[in-house]
Amino acid sequence: MRLSQYFLPTLRQEPAEAEVVSHKLMLRAGMIRKLASGIYTYLPFGLRALRKVERIVREEMNRIGAQEVLLPLVQPAELWQETERWEKYGKELLRFKDRKEHDFCLGPTHEEVITDLVRKEVRSYRDLPLILYQIATKFRDEIRPRFGIMRAREFIMKDAYSFDADEKGLNRTYERVYEAYNRIFSRCGLRFRAVLADTGAIGGNESHEFMVLAETGEDTLAICEACGYAANVELAEVKTAYRYEEEPERPLEKVSTPAVRTVEEVAEFLGVSPARLVKTLLYVADGEVVAVLIRGDYELNEVKLKNLLGVDSLEMADAETVERVSGAPVGFAGPVGLKVRRLLADFSVRGLKNFVTGANEADAHYVNVNYGRDFPEPEFYDLREVVEGDPCPRCGRPLTLTRGIEVGHIFKLGTKYSAAMRATFLDREGKERPFVMGCYGIGVGRTVAAAIEQNHDQNGIIFPEEIAPFKAIVLTLGPESQLMETSENIYRRLSAEGVDTLWDDRDERPGVKFKDADLIGIPYQVIVGKKFLETGKVELKERATGQREELAPEEVVSRMRDQK
RNA sequence: CGGGGCGUAGCGCAGCCUGGCAGCGCACCUGCCUUGGGAGCAGGGGGUCGGCGGUUCAAAUCCGCCCGCCCCGACCA
């Protein structure tokens, strides 16, 4: 491709709208442009990177015997009603009516559609296992899209679905996909880690997320260096053994705490450590208010709470509900005299004596509170978020926390969808059974963004070779015909050898060409300039290391061909 | 959804408080010149100042409503 004719609008200045590096660089390198919040256009250069990732995904999915399909983006409500997700999926599901007033939605995921297809077409255990996948546009009406293509509303995803005759089969299939994912992300040049994960809105039994390690990641991972345990903090178990000193229960006392609400404020006001405080969190779970107690220096893990309660919706109580239940404005709720049906507490509260809570009264807290005496003993569970240094649930050594970008997620679904949708086959004995399913996603666009997040410097992107839009760029540093001819010759021969090559034949000064080449991150730069006029040598510069080598033009061609 | 911020040329911004010719840098076009890290000179084109309404002799500027975008939060108790 000749750069003079290529649609590559690079930006010298940083776009004001971008926050994270990958977003800034994708805009500056002319890969993407925003159309609306969370909705992006891929320009030719960005699309090339996307296609490279797609190619790797296809190769590795095909390798494990998966077959590609293309499912509709627009889906009828009826299917979603069968699995009750029409009600349960929430506002992320973008719904609308067609001209005949029939309900439809834009597919955020495709379990219903694929299960419908397979129940209609597959009858026998002999056709199993079956793995189908697609690479397609998805739409999720995210609360807050951000970071460019990293968390967009419309995005490209590879989703695969497996159908097995039994659990054992599913386990084998899951394992195969797991290995395929390892190969995919390795080939994309990413530093990543598979971690245990929550199943969220998709549902199912077991799940792993593939996390690209990056500070800007939206997820936090708990990792044990000692035994290799790795989990999303959303479900990382807390096995801390709390030891509290024996102390006599002191008399309950109400203290005035005017306008003092937060844990930090209360602790400072009363001159005690936050670990002496017990927060009372009020939640509305499927319409019913529950209260959760947790030590002041810890944070509640909503995913754990939601899974424990087994509810579909879980939200913090709004100010009105808090007032109604506790009789006090937000900030002063406490367990003493609280009118809720269920009172839960994190293990960190068990054994704690003489602690501080809100008094269910404006501007007041209780001190020397003790459960069993001042209020009924709550149900104790593991409900808090792990913190750095908590013991590994497997081996007990301290955990470390790190950030990650979720680029892949695999689930063992079991029969959740097949049972709900009566998708069955006949087994060897002629008995009707529901398919045992798995589902497996990869954020394709997000993988590109994550690769950039992990591979860049001050000058721009440094594409890993396998996903680079082009492998080489020829820079012609001057208008002399000898330079142009040599450049064109190299460009043609590289292209003929199947090396994706861009030729910067623009009438621009050298500085501009160097800056653009570094910005767009093509792995190899072939520099044809003054040096060639003097010595007959061109330079081969590696973008990642900055290493330069002087070579004759034909040597460049053979070098690039050999390491293809 | 709550809080904050922003919307002026393709991009980055000033002007708004204190109403009075719509500006700067980059990009773009023409010419000269230059060619190893985003050159220089000269000339030029490009704007419903996010939209609607109001106040005023006069509105980018003041007031109201609406729209869009970004950031933070939605674990504050």
Side-chain angles (χ1 to χ4, degrees), chain A residues 23 131 407:
Chain A
H23 188 198
I131 309 175
V407 288

Side-chain angles (χ1 to χ4, degrees), chain A residues 475-533:
Chain A
L475 304 182
T476 309
L477 303 187
E480 292 85 351
S481 59
Q482 215 185 330
L483 296 182
M484 289 300 279
E485 282 160 21
T486 303
S487 300
E488 180 161 10
N489 191 19
I490 295 171
Y491 163 64
R492 285 180 183 282
R493 287 169 59 190
L494 284 175
S495 301
E497 293 291 347
V499 179
D500 283 335
T501 305
L502 199 54
W503 174 23
D504 192 348
D505 62 335
R506 294 175 302 173
D507 180 22
E508 288 286 358
R509 300 167 57 82
V512 174
K513 298 193 177 191
F514 282 128
K515 288 291 183 191
D516 269 341
D518 284 351
L519 173 63
I520 66 177
I522 295 173
Y524 295 97
Q525 299 173 9
V526 181
I527 302 161
V528 184
K530 202 167 58 191
K531 206 163 280 168
F532 177 75
L533 295 176

Side-chain angles (χ1 to χ4, degrees), chain A residues 222-229 240 386-401:
Chain A
I223 289 177
C224 175
E225 310 291 357
C227 75
Y229 172 87
T240 303
V386 290
V387 296
E388 185 106 16
D390 273 338
C392 168
R394 204 182 283 164
C395 77
R397 310 273 189 85
L399 290 169
T400 51
L401 299 187

